[in-house]
Amino acid sequence: EVYENIYETVDVSGSPEIRANATAKATVAAFAASEGHAHPRVVELPKTEEGLGFNVMGGKEQSSPIYISRIIPGGVADRLNCLKRGDQLLSVNGVSVEGEFHEKAVELLKLAQGSVKLVVRYTPQILEEMEARFERQKNSRKQAGP
């Protein structure tokens, strides 16, 4: 339903080929968004003494991507309203953290000076799956006992 009316909403001048290409790209983007596949976006945060105002979880050692797991109320990320819980962290200041260990992402965030440029993609369903898996693991350890 999201992509049914794309043709009418794409306003591109030029040859029929250019218009068709733009319409096709917009249709693919709208379909991807409707299926929960968001496009990456760039977010820039000032680095302050209080930190950046978010927590991350996941990493290669947990067989999962690195995610924004919490936005700290009143923190930088919260005040700027630029990150969401469920954003996948793709890079920090131009260094990819896809497929990397948790500690590498944390280290890059800590080492940043002045401001931090992040590339993120909003995919909350994967974070929810990851948290459910961690919860199951935690519960199975409790049941196994000491």
Side-chain angles (χ1 to χ4, degrees), residues 27-131:
T27 301
V28 168
F31 178 74
S34 74
E35 295 292 306
H37 304 292
H39 286 283
R41 64 187 198 284
V42 178
V43 172
E44 194 159 353
L45 294 169
K47 183 84 181 271
T48 67
E49 290 176 10
E50 67 180 292
L52 296 166
F54 64 89
N55 295 342
V56 294
M57 70 181 289
K60 186 176 185 176
E61 67 277 17
Q62 297 168 357
S63 301
S64 70
I66 297 170
Y67 274 88
I68 309 294
S69 58
R70 179 171 179 253
I71 303 294
I72 298 167
V76 174
D78 183 41
R79 289 195 308 268
L80 295 177
N81 195 27
C82 57
L83 289 174
K84 301 179 207 163
R85 183 179 182 284
D87 276 335
Q88 180 185 350
L89 189 58
L90 302 176
S91 74
V92 177
N93 286 338
V95 179
S96 174
V97 294
E98 290 186 271
E100 292 292 345
F101 289 98
H102 180 90
E103 194 54 42
K104 177 175 182 178
V106 171
E107 195 64 26
L108 288 169
L109 291 166
K110 285 182 178 177
L111 290 174
Q113 302 285 318
S115 69
V116 181
K117 191 175 284 190
L118 309 174
V119 178
V120 298
R121 178 176 41 227
Y122 187 59
T123 51
Q125 68 281 7
I126 298 174
L127 176 64
E128 290 166 13
E129 291 166 11
M130 206 166 76
E131 288 179 333

Side-chain angles (χ1 to χ4, degrees), residues 18-30:
I18 290 173
R19 288 201 316 271
N21 191 14
T23 301
K25 287 180 179 178
T27 301
V28 168

